[in-house]
Amino acid sequence: MKNQIEQYFDRLFPLNRSLTGNGVRETFSILKELVDFEITEVPTGTNAFDWTVPKEWNVNEAYILTPDGRRIADFKVNNLHLMGYSVPFSGTMTFDALKEHITTRPDMPEAIPYVTSYYVERWGFCLSHNEFLTLPQEGEYYVKIDTTLEDGFMTVGEAVLPGESDEEVLFTSYCCHPSMANNELSGMLALAFLYQLLKKESKRKYTYRFYLAPETIGAIYYLSQNGMRFKEKLKGGVVITCCGDKGDYTLKKSRSDSYFNSVFKNILSAKPYKELDFFPMGSDERQYCSPGFDLPMVCFTRTMYGEYKEYHTSADDKSVIDFTALEDYVFLLKELVDSIELDDYYENQSPYGEPQLGKRGLYPTLMKIEDRGESLKRLLYLLNYSDGKHSVLDIANKMNTTVMSFQNEIQSLIAKDLLKKKDHV
Amino acid sequence: MKNQIEQYFDRLFPLNRSLTGNGVRETFSILKELVDFEITEVPTGTNAFDWTVPKEWNVNEAYILTPDGRRIADFKVNNLHLMGYSVPFSGTMTFDALKEHITTRPDMPEAIPYVTSYYVERWGFCLSHNEFLTLPQEGEYYVKIDTTLEDGFMTVGEAVLPGESDEEVLFTSYCCHPSMANNELSGMLALAFLYQLLKKESKRKYTYRFYLAPETIGAIYYLSQNGMRFKEKLKGGVVITCCGDKGDYTLKKSRSDSYFNSVFKNILSAKPYKELDFFPMGSDERQYCSPGFDLPMVCFTRTMYGEYKEYHTSADDKSVIDFTALEDYVFLLKELVDSIELDDYYENQSPYGEPQLGKRGLYPTLMKIEDRGESLKRLLYLLNYSDGKHSVLDIANKMNTTVMSFQNEIQSLIAKDLLKKKDHV
Amino acid sequence: MKNQIEQYFDRLFPLNRSLTGNGVRETFSILKELVDFEITEVPTGTNAFDWTVPKEWNVNEAYILTPDGRRIADFKVNNLHLMGYSVPFSGTMTFDALKEHITTRPDMPEAIPYVTSYYVERWGFCLSHNEFLTLPQEGEYYVKIDTTLEDGFMTVGEAVLPGESDEEVLFTSYCCHPSMANNELSGMLALAFLYQLLKKESKRKYTYRFYLAPETIGAIYYLSQNGMRFKEKLKGGVVITCCGDKGDYTLKKSRSDSYFNSVFKNILSAKPYKELDFFPMGSDERQYCSPGFDLPMVCFTRTMYGEYKEYHTSADDKSVIDFTALEDYVFLLKELVDSIELDDYYENQSPYGEPQLGKRGLYPTLMKIEDRGESLKRLLYLLNYSDGKHSVLDIANKMNTTVMSFQNEIQSLIAKDLLKKKDHV
């Protein structure tokens, strides 16, 4: 799988994604090879709670000509050179006038910073600080920004894998960042390849939704359409982001206690990872966990946004990505899904004293001291704690092991009529 | 007391106890000198939940004759040589055929292992690995196992010390192990000598039951007779086992939070000890804490079963036992009983501000800086927290001291009409 | 302020305070310059729960004449020389008879101990151990104690700063200690200067009461008058004592969980401090937290009573006091008041997704990586957690910061109609 992930990475990386525009549409047209997205084009001016869908932005070209005749800050060379949502402009000016429109990062002098101005109309360029230092302070600069900022559409996509119950699970990431790798091409790729894995399952307990849209306004729009249903039906969800580097996993828990907080702790328990309480900065969990919704959504990353130095610069490129780590992240989300599909409340059908496992071939008939094995332990834990009040997850946590390790023993005990799924009331 | 314990140890150690049989009966006939046991003979075939009382097993003799004329694995020399519940057999065979019936412990080459096959009919011998290595691989072996495995009875015993309320306390151990000292002759002895101490008390709040029977099937049978009543009436109970070595105490807590968990923590707080959450492997707590009953039963040991190397071998002999340690264990159970008998909810009869202790002779009249002493502290804690919501145990825990240390102060305050036992509702 | 505190210290230190008497009256007449105390004279014999107001005690003079003609233990030199509540006596006696009436502290040989005998009539003197050692063992001693112990009054004072709601806050200290500085002149001074600060506020949510009286009997009398109302109306209170030394703060929490426990933790969180669970020894918290009342009263000190070596001796003098530390203590109580006045439950008026802060000038319009600042974080925390279930205190604790740091952001969000105080139900 990881080679395939890399191939898609290479195709998607150069596209000029933003809140809106053709870069987003091209991104979706490639991802549709993997995910059966239903695309919605949301018109400029659409209201979503306190927000309004902005104008659509597209770029033809943008660059600066220096007095000494160099063409710099060329959008065609790196789409980060142009500040996101720059309005059209062309004209000549002095260095002093121009520099008010230029952003650099002196602390990372080789990198082009990533800057946007979505909700105030202005224009600007981003340069590496080292390049900025080569600019002559005298003479005339020519600036060319051929963009359009007009009524149009915001492009969002959703795919659904239906399940038996009407409870839902949501995986979401965002697609508004231009050429940056970990934040946020890695998230789109993880979401798409997780979809690939889940699509193959013949049977699902839950309905799985996959939503990809620009950050913030995309999530708020989605909540305006689905939020009230999610308050009733959402079992849990994950904001997928910054998942392609080699760092340890980071779980940012949902705002209120939630089932997914617990399941993640179970599957991560044997791994080095960092657990953070919810905080209202960051990515789209800010919206999903806003107080009107307070949805059971976690944010799950490797090294978290803002915690690695390349974040929001041109240095967040392919060199940051480890495709094995990205694949492992996808497998871990698959284990999350497998765990919630397996997890349930069971009832021991022979709850008064232990059932006699020996006569059912589940217990050694010769009692020696020996390693009775983890499997026998799991049988005994399942029988003792399956009282309708402890789920498989609870039992796994008591044994300091994973939900998935109980798969075979649950089947054995069901087959011997010793365990039965609890009727939900 | 400890010399008397040792004398009984010496008389009981050689007997061939098993799930059933005359060794158990002889054990009870000796223990009846100490405990007023009512003996029940439960017929083979009696059902108890998922289990059935097995056939009765008795041994006349058992040994092997080697090709070089040695009589080995002689049951008369050590009853561990014969696998428990071996069926009758006699005949000749090769070494290769015989060795399928022999168990050794290469990791403890001097010790005879302890092995049983209660629920599948077979025969076998147990040898020290060193002796096994001396056996010639050529020539004819003669095997003699003169046992009976027939319909009969399982022998169990219960003794009761009645109290004022109908709430009950259960102390239990098991008597199915042949000649092994810590597991499990120590348990029987602790139970019997605890009975001796409690029998002397003129007044009891609770009714105390002492139950001795084979492990597992004995407990399941007992639950089939008393379990439903215990769910209503059992204040707490202790599975007594592995209590004769010099190791630190180990408390394996009951499956659900319970009063006895808390009382044990109180009396053990100043001692080195190990506290374990309930787990569904081990001794009869597996049965008492099965989900249909979930009784407030702890398992209390010194070094826990399976945690010392001599466990379940002939090396678990008198050398493992420290009779002072065994006596201390009995005294500690006595402190448990004293604590629950003393513990209650009291109400301060002068709860608005402090009562004036000075005029009642309970407070120094000359206020200097001095060590006002632990006794005055206990008076003040009792008065402040005796609000009907804090028991003596709660108050003792707040002061980091034991329930029993409050005995005199409770009496003083009652005598001065400052404290009164709360009416239970 | 601290110079003014020191001036009052110097005026109040020499007065002979006790449970009753003119030293207390003189103390109040000076403190009335700072606090609008209403003075109550409670007659001897007045009952308060289990207690009775004692006789009034006044001292004219007291001393010992030694056989070698020295006048020692002179009350005029140090009022600690005379045991508190000594009955009148004059006469001659031997050293052996006299020494039964003398207390020293061999462990602090330079210091005069502080001793009282309020509730048993006797007389006595206190000497430094070194002086005691100079006394001739032969010859005749003359003792003169000119005191009165007669029906009279116990003097107590209360001042009230009214607020909008009928919920009350109580600050209390005691005034029964003669010339000792940290315990307990510091407490009276802190109470008085806190009153000075709060008096200046134009608006108060809560009603603030300031009560000063002798320890124990004064508090019990106050509870007999106000205790039942406090059970309904007291939001919280502080026993102020031992607050003038340079030691770290110590919070002795209220007996039951309380709002003030939490607010103190918040304001102390960035400071070194010690937190103690309630215990029923100490100062007047013993009375306020007696089980009949169980009021939400904490005891807040610097180095706690009994924890510094000068405690209850003549060595507890001005040298123990650091007036900057005493002033800081007052400012910290002022922060407590400011915090509870600001703390409330608010509701985000745009709770579905984040409100768009940018269009309201509360969010940077140019999204760069930059320190978005603590102020923006506070805005986002306020919006996310103002769901009617989290108070400002809760939100501050989530951000590991103080309640007071949110003052400006609360005003900004209210001004933009994004936050509204929750209607209490």
Side-chain angles (χ1 to χ4, degrees):
Chain A
M1 188 164 90
K2 73 177 184 173
N3 292 338
Q4 212 192 345
I5 297 176
E6 186 169 358
Q7 287 160 18
Y8 276 93
F9 179 93
D10 291 337
R11 290 169 64 193
L12 290 162
F13 186 76
L15 302 178
N16 183 47
R17 282 169 291 274
S18 181
L19 280 198
T20 58
N22 292 324
V24 180
R25 288 191 191 94
E26 292 162 47
T27 297
F28 271 115
S29 85
I30 293 172
L31 287 173
K32 283 194 76 161
E33 299 168 15
L34 297 165
V35 182
D36 191 17
F37 275 122
E38 181 174 343
I39 304 298
T40 304
E41 295 280 0
V42 186
T44 297
T46 303
N47 286 322
F49 300 119
D50 196 47
W51 297 65
T52 307
V53 173
K55 290 180 182 162
E56 180 172 330
W57 184 62
N58 282 292
V59 183
N60 293 317
E61 63 173 353
Y63 57 85
I64 299 168
L65 290 182
T66 64
D68 49 351
R70 288 180 287 147
R71 182 182 180 117
I72 62 160
D74 192 343
F75 174 81
K76 289 205 173 64
V77 174
N78 191 319
N79 54 28
L80 293 173
H81 277 310
L82 182 62
M83 184 177 78
Y85 265 62
S86 281
V87 295
F89 178 83
S90 70
T92 57
M93 60 184 65
T94 62
F95 177 77
D96 285 344
L98 176 62
K99 77 178 181 192
E100 298 302 310
H101 293 270
I102 290 181
T103 303
T104 71
R105 279 276 297 272
D107 60 321
M108 290 198 58
E110 298 286 347
I112 307 163
Y114 168 52
V115 181
T116 65
S117 178
Y118 294 139
Y119 297 100
V120 168
E121 297 198 356
R122 52 161 79 91
W123 61 264
F125 286 93
C126 300
L127 291 180
S128 77
H129 197 67
N130 285 347
E131 180 160 38
F132 177 73
L133 296 177
T134 69
L135 297 186
Q137 309 212 1
E138 306 293 327
E140 197 174 75
Y141 282 83
Y142 175 72
V143 168
K144 171 74 176 180
I145 301 178
D146 179 5
T147 58
T148 59
L149 185 61
E150 297 167 344
D151 284 356
F153 299 91
M154 170 176 78
T155 310
V156 305
E158 188 192 37
V160 183
L161 292 171
E164 291 165 1
S165 90
D166 62 351
E167 287 187 294
E168 304 189 1
V169 170
L170 173 61
F171 293 104
T172 185
S173 191
Y174 43 100
C175 56
C176 53
H177 285 53
S179 298
M180 285 174 293
N182 200 27
N183 182 45
E184 174 46 318
L185 184 49
S186 71
M188 283 171 253
L189 291 168
L191 183 138
F193 281 88
L194 176 64
Y195 179 93
Q196 282 280 309
L197 293 178
L198 299 196
K199 190 179 68 170
K200 290 174 195 144
E201 301 288 329
S202 58
K203 202 179 130 172
R204 286 173 215 96
K205 194 160 65 178
Y206 300 113
T207 294
Y208 294 86
R209 291 182 185 270
F210 298 79
Y211 180 66
L212 194 60
E215 211 174 1
T216 307
I217 179 68
I220 290 170
Y221 168 75
Y222 194 52
L223 283 167
S224 75
Q225 303 298 305
N226 299 278
M228 288 302 159
R229 195 187 73 246
F230 284 154
K231 280 182 84 161
E232 296 295 312
K233 300 296 184 195
L234 196 71
K235 188 75 181 174
V238 184
V239 174
I240 295 173
T241 178
C242 299
C243 50
D245 66 299
K246 269 189 278 200
D248 290 340
Y249 293 114
T250 303
L251 174 66
K252 179 180 174 182
K253 293 190 288 183
S254 58
R255 182 178 179 275
S256 297
D257 276 349
S258 75
Y259 180 55
F260 268 36
N261 284 357
S262 305
V263 182
F264 265 104
K265 286 179 84 144
N266 180 265
I267 59 181
L268 291 168
S269 58
K271 298 181 170 62
Y273 81 106
K274 206 160 126 185
E275 188 180 294
L276 303 175
D277 283 335
F278 176 79
F279 52 89
M281 292 82 71
S283 183
D284 282 338
E285 65 275 14
R286 293 159 67 162
Q287 313 310 329
Y288 293 106
C289 298
S290 58
F293 294 113
D294 193 18
L295 297 177
M297 296 281 290
V298 305
C299 179
F300 182 54
T301 69
R302 284 184 172 276
T303 305
M304 181 155 272
Y305 38 70
E307 300 282 315
Y308 60 100
K309 68 178 192 313
E310 300 88 352
Y311 176 71
H312 272 200
T313 73
S314 60
D316 185 353
D317 61 14
K318 193 174 177 178
S319 69
V320 168
I321 302 298
D322 178 298
F323 287 95
T324 303
L326 180 47
E327 186 185 55
D328 284 347
Y329 177 96
V330 175
F331 289 145
L332 208 136
L333 289 183
K334 177 62 165 55
E335 184 178 347
L336 169 81
V337 169
D338 290 341
S339 298
I340 65 175
E341 291 278 325
L342 181 64
D343 185 32
D344 223 311
Y345 288 82
Y346 288 91
E347 287 177 320
N348 176 345
Q349 300 298 298
S350 180
Y352 299 106
E354 269 176 26
Q356 198 182 345
L357 296 179
K359 68 184 184 193
R360 294 177 177 88
L362 296 174
Y363 205 83
T365 56
L366 197 68
M367 289 307 298
K368 306 185 198 182
I369 290 219
E370 53 186 350
D371 177 12
R372 287 171 195 179
E374 292 300 300
S375 177
L376 179 56
K377 265 177 80 172
R378 284 192 292 264
L379 289 174
L380 293 172
Y381 267 86
L382 280 170
L383 287 168
N384 189 286
Y385 285 109
S386 287
D387 54 4
K389 287 176 241 155
H390 296 87
S391 65
V392 177
L393 173 62
D394 295 331
I395 298 170
N397 287 341
K398 279 186 186 286
M399 251 187 82
N400 291 318
T401 182
T402 62
V403 168
M404 290 316 292
S405 71
F406 285 87
Q407 198 160 19
N408 292 334
E409 288 76 15
I410 291 171
Q411 294 317 319
S412 298
L413 291 173
I414 289 174
K416 300 292 182 185
D417 294 323
L418 286 174
L419 217 58
K420 203 178 141 186
K421 204 172 278 192
K422 191 185 174 185
D423 291 327
H424 291 281
V425 274
Chain B
M1 188 164 91
K2 75 177 185 174
N3 293 338
Q4 213 192 345
I5 297 176
E6 184 170 359
Q7 287 160 18
Y8 275 94
F9 179 93
D10 292 337
R11 289 169 65 194
L12 289 163
F13 186 76
L15 301 178
N16 183 48
R17 282 168 293 274
S18 181
L19 280 199
T20 59
N22 292 324
V24 180
R25 289 191 190 93
E26 291 161 49
T27 297
F28 271 115
S29 86
I30 292 172
L31 288 173
K32 285 195 74 161
E33 298 168 15
L34 296 166
V35 182
D36 192 17
F37 275 122
E38 182 175 340
I39 305 297
T40 302
E41 295 281 358
V42 187
T44 297
T46 302
N47 287 321
F49 300 120
D50 197 47
W51 296 66
T52 306
V53 172
K55 290 180 184 164
E56 180 172 332
W57 183 63
N58 282 294
V59 183
N60 293 317
E61 60 173 354
Y63 57 85
I64 299 168
L65 290 183
T66 64
D68 50 351
R70 289 180 285 146
R71 182 181 181 119
I72 63 161
D74 192 343
F75 175 81
K76 289 206 173 62
V77 175
N78 191 321
N79 54 28
L80 292 174
H81 277 309
L82 182 63
M83 185 176 77
Y85 265 61
S86 281
V87 294
F89 177 83
S90 71
T92 57
M93 59 183 66
T94 62
F95 177 77
D96 284 346
L98 177 61
K99 77 178 181 193
E100 299 302 311
H101 293 268
I102 291 180
T103 304
T104 70
R105 281 274 299 269
D107 61 321
M108 291 198 57
E110 297 286 346
I112 308 163
Y114 168 52
V115 180
T116 65
S117 178
Y118 294 140
Y119 296 99
V120 168
E121 297 199 355
R122 53 161 78 92
W123 62 263
F125 285 94
C126 300
L127 292 179
S128 76
H129 198 66
N130 286 345
E131 182 162 36
F132 177 72
L133 295 177
T134 69
L135 297 187
Q137 308 212 359
E138 306 293 327
E140 196 173 77
Y141 283 82
Y142 174 72
V143 169
K144 171 73 176 181
I145 300 179
D146 180 5
T147 58
T148 58
L149 185 61
E150 296 167 345
D151 283 357
F153 299 91
M154 171 177 77
T155 309
V156 305
E158 187 193 37
V160 182
L161 292 172
E164 291 164 2
S165 90
D166 63 351
E167 287 188 294
E168 304 188 2
V169 170
L170 173 61
F171 293 103
T172 185
S173 191
Y174 43 100
C175 55
C176 54
H177 286 54
S179 298
M180 285 174 295
N182 201 27
N183 181 48
E184 175 44 306
L185 185 48
S186 72
M188 284 170 254
L189 291 168
L191 183 139
F193 281 87
L194 176 64
Y195 179 93
Q196 281 280 309
L197 294 178
L198 299 196
K199 189 179 68 170
K200 289 175 195 142
E201 300 289 329
S202 58
K203 202 179 131 172
R204 286 171 216 99
K205 193 160 68 178
Y206 300 113
T207 292
Y208 293 86
R209 291 182 184 270
F210 298 79
Y211 181 66
L212 194 60
E215 211 174 1
T216 308
I217 178 69
I220 290 170
Y221 169 74
Y222 194 53
L223 284 167
S224 75
Q225 303 298 306
N226 298 279
M228 289 302 161
R229 195 188 71 246
F230 284 153
K231 282 181 82 161
E232 297 295 311
K233 300 297 185 194
L234 196 70
K235 189 76 181 174
V238 184
V239 174
I240 295 173
T241 179
C242 299
C243 51
D245 66 299
K246 269 188 277 198
D248 289 341
Y249 293 115
T250 304
L251 174 67
K252 178 180 173 182
K253 294 191 287 183
S254 58
R255 181 180 180 273
S256 297
D257 276 349
S258 75
Y259 180 54
F260 268 36
N261 284 358
S262 305
V263 182
F264 265 105
K265 287 178 84 142
N266 180 266
I267 60 180
L268 291 168
S269 58
K271 299 182 168 63
Y273 82 105
K274 205 161 124 184
E275 188 181 295
L276 303 174
D277 283 335
F278 176 77
F279 51 89
M281 293 82 70
S283 182
D284 283 338
E285 65 275 13
R286 293 159 67 162
Q287 313 309 328
Y288 293 106
C289 298
S290 58
F293 294 112
D294 192 19
L295 296 177
M297 296 281 292
V298 306
C299 178
F300 182 54
T301 70
R302 284 184 171 275
T303 305
M304 181 155 272
Y305 38 71
E307 300 282 315
Y308 60 99
K309 70 178 191 311
E310 299 88 352
Y311 176 71
H312 272 202
T313 73
S314 60
D316 185 355
D317 62 14
K318 195 173 176 178
S319 69
V320 168
I321 303 298
D322 179 298
F323 287 94
T324 303
L326 180 47
E327 187 185 54
D328 284 347
Y329 177 96
V330 175
F331 288 145
L332 207 135
L333 288 182
K334 178 63 164 54
E335 185 178 348
L336 170 80
V337 169
D338 290 341
S339 298
I340 66 175
E341 291 278 325
L342 181 64
D343 185 31
D344 222 310
Y345 288 82
Y346 287 91
E347 288 177 319
N348 176 345
Q349 301 298 298
S350 182
Y352 300 105
E354 269 176 27
Q356 198 183 344
L357 295 178
K359 69 185 183 190
R360 294 174 178 90
L362 297 174
Y363 205 84
T365 56
L366 197 67
M367 289 308 297
K368 307 184 198 181
I369 288 220
E370 53 186 348
D371 177 12
R372 288 171 195 177
E374 292 300 301
S375 177
L376 179 56
K377 264 178 81 170
R378 284 192 292 266
L379 288 174
L380 293 172
Y381 267 86
L382 281 170
L383 287 168
N384 189 285
Y385 285 109
S386 287
D387 53 5
K389 286 176 242 155
H390 296 87
S391 65
V392 178
L393 174 62
D394 296 331
I395 297 170
N397 287 341
K398 279 184 185 287
M399 252 188 83
N400 290 318
T401 183
T402 63
V403 168
M404 290 315 294
S405 71
F406 286 86
Q407 198 160 20
N408 293 333
E409 287 77 14
I410 291 171
Q411 294 317 317
S412 298
L413 291 173
I414 289 174
K416 300 291 184 188
D417 294 324
L418 286 174
L419 218 57
K420 202 178 142 188
K421 203 172 281 192
K422 190 185 175 185
D423 291 327
H424 291 280
V425 275
Chain C
M1 188 165 89
K2 75 177 184 173
N3 293 338
Q4 211 191 346
I5 296 176
E6 184 169 358
Q7 287 159 18
Y8 276 94
F9 179 94
D10 292 336
R11 290 169 65 195
L12 290 162
F13 187 75
L15 302 178
N16 183 49
R17 283 169 291 275
S18 182
L19 281 199
T20 58
N22 293 324
V24 180
R25 289 191 190 93
E26 291 161 47
T27 298
F28 272 114
S29 87
I30 292 173
L31 288 173
K32 284 195 76 161
E33 299 168 15
L34 296 166
V35 183
D36 191 17
F37 276 121
E38 180 174 342
I39 305 297
T40 303
E41 295 280 358
V42 186
T44 298
T46 302
N47 287 322
F49 301 120
D50 197 47
W51 296 66
T52 306
V53 173
K55 289 179 182 163
E56 180 173 331
W57 183 64
N58 283 292
V59 183
N60 293 316
E61 62 173 353
Y63 56 85
I64 299 168
L65 289 182
T66 64
D68 50 351
R70 288 180 287 145
R71 182 180 179 119
I72 62 160
D74 192 344
F75 174 82
K76 290 207 173 62
V77 175
N78 191 319
N79 54 28
L80 293 173
H81 277 310
L82 182 63
M83 183 177 79
Y85 264 62
S86 282
V87 294
F89 177 84
S90 69
T92 58
M93 58 183 67
T94 63
F95 177 78
D96 285 345
L98 176 63
K99 77 178 181 191
E100 297 303 310
H101 293 268
I102 290 180
T103 302
T104 71
R105 281 275 298 271
D107 61 322
M108 291 198 58
E110 297 287 345
I112 308 164
Y114 168 52
V115 180
T116 65
S117 177
Y118 293 140
Y119 296 99
V120 167
E121 297 198 354
R122 52 161 78 90
W123 61 265
F125 286 94
C126 300
L127 292 179
S128 77
H129 197 65
N130 285 346
E131 181 160 38
F132 177 72
L133 295 176
T134 68
L135 297 186
Q137 308 213 1
E138 306 293 327
E140 197 173 76
Y141 283 84
Y142 174 71
V143 168
K144 172 72 177 182
I145 302 179
D146 180 5
T147 59
T148 58
L149 185 63
E150 296 166 345
D151 283 356
F153 299 91
M154 171 177 78
T155 310
V156 305
E158 187 192 37
V160 183
L161 293 171
E164 290 165 2
S165 91
D166 62 353
E167 288 189 293
E168 303 188 1
V169 170
L170 173 61
F171 294 103
T172 184
S173 191
Y174 43 100
C175 55
C176 55
H177 286 54
S179 298
M180 286 175 293
N182 200 27
N183 182 47
E184 178 38 330
L185 184 49
S186 72
M188 284 170 254
L189 292 168
L191 183 138
F193 282 87
L194 176 64
Y195 179 94
Q196 282 279 309
L197 294 178
L198 300 195
K199 191 180 65 171
K200 290 175 197 145
E201 301 289 329
S202 58
K203 203 178 130 173
R204 287 171 215 99
K205 193 160 67 178
Y206 300 113
T207 292
Y208 294 86
R209 289 181 186 272
F210 298 79
Y211 181 66
L212 193 60
E215 211 174 3
T216 308
I217 179 68
I220 290 170
Y221 168 75
Y222 194 52
L223 284 167
S224 75
Q225 303 298 307
N226 298 278
M228 289 302 159
R229 195 188 72 246
F230 285 153
K231 281 181 83 161
E232 296 295 309
K233 300 297 184 194
L234 196 71
K235 189 77 181 174
V238 183
V239 174
I240 295 173
T241 178
C242 298
C243 50
D245 66 298
K246 268 188 278 198
D248 289 341
Y249 293 115
T250 303
L251 174 67
K252 178 180 174 183
K253 294 190 288 184
S254 58
R255 182 180 180 273
S256 297
D257 276 347
S258 75
Y259 180 55
F260 269 36
N261 284 357
S262 306
V263 182
F264 265 104
K265 285 178 84 143
N266 179 265
I267 60 181
L268 290 168
S269 58
K271 298 181 170 64
Y273 82 105
K274 206 160 125 184
E275 187 181 294
L276 302 174
D277 283 335
F278 176 78
F279 52 89
M281 290 83 70
S283 183
D284 283 338
E285 64 275 14
R286 293 159 67 161
Q287 314 309 329
Y288 294 106
C289 297
S290 58
F293 294 112
D294 192 20
L295 297 176
M297 296 281 292
V298 306
C299 178
F300 182 54
T301 69
R302 284 183 172 276
T303 305
M304 180 155 273
Y305 38 70
E307 300 282 316
Y308 60 99
K309 69 178 191 313
E310 299 89 352
Y311 176 71
H312 272 201
T313 72
S314 60
D316 185 355
D317 62 14
K318 193 173 178 179
S319 69
V320 168
I321 302 298
D322 180 299
F323 287 95
T324 303
L326 180 47
E327 186 186 55
D328 284 346
Y329 177 96
V330 175
F331 288 146
L332 207 135
L333 288 182
K334 177 63 164 55
E335 184 178 350
L336 170 81
V337 169
D338 290 341
S339 298
I340 65 176
E341 292 277 327
L342 180 65
D343 185 31
D344 223 311
Y345 288 82
Y346 287 91
E347 287 177 320
N348 176 344
Q349 301 298 298
S350 180
Y352 300 106
E354 269 176 28
Q356 198 181 346
L357 296 178
K359 68 185 183 191
R360 295 176 177 90
L362 297 173
Y363 206 84
T365 55
L366 196 68
M367 287 308 297
K368 306 187 199 181
I369 288 218
E370 53 184 348
D371 178 12
R372 288 172 194 177
E374 291 301 300
S375 177
L376 179 56
K377 264 178 82 171
R378 284 192 292 265
L379 288 174
L380 293 172
Y381 267 87
L382 281 170
L383 287 168
N384 190 285
Y385 285 109
S386 287
D387 53 5
K389 287 176 242 155
H390 295 86
S391 65
V392 177
L393 174 61
D394 296 331
I395 297 170
N397 287 340
K398 278 184 186 287
M399 251 187 83
N400 291 318
T401 184
T402 62
V403 168
M404 290 315 293
S405 70
F406 286 86
Q407 199 160 19
N408 293 333
E409 288 77 14
I410 291 172
Q411 294 317 317
S412 297
L413 291 173
I414 289 173
K416 300 292 184 186
D417 294 323
L418 286 174
L419 218 56
K420 201 178 144 188
K421 203 173 281 193
K422 190 184 174 185
D423 290 327
H424 291 281
V425 274

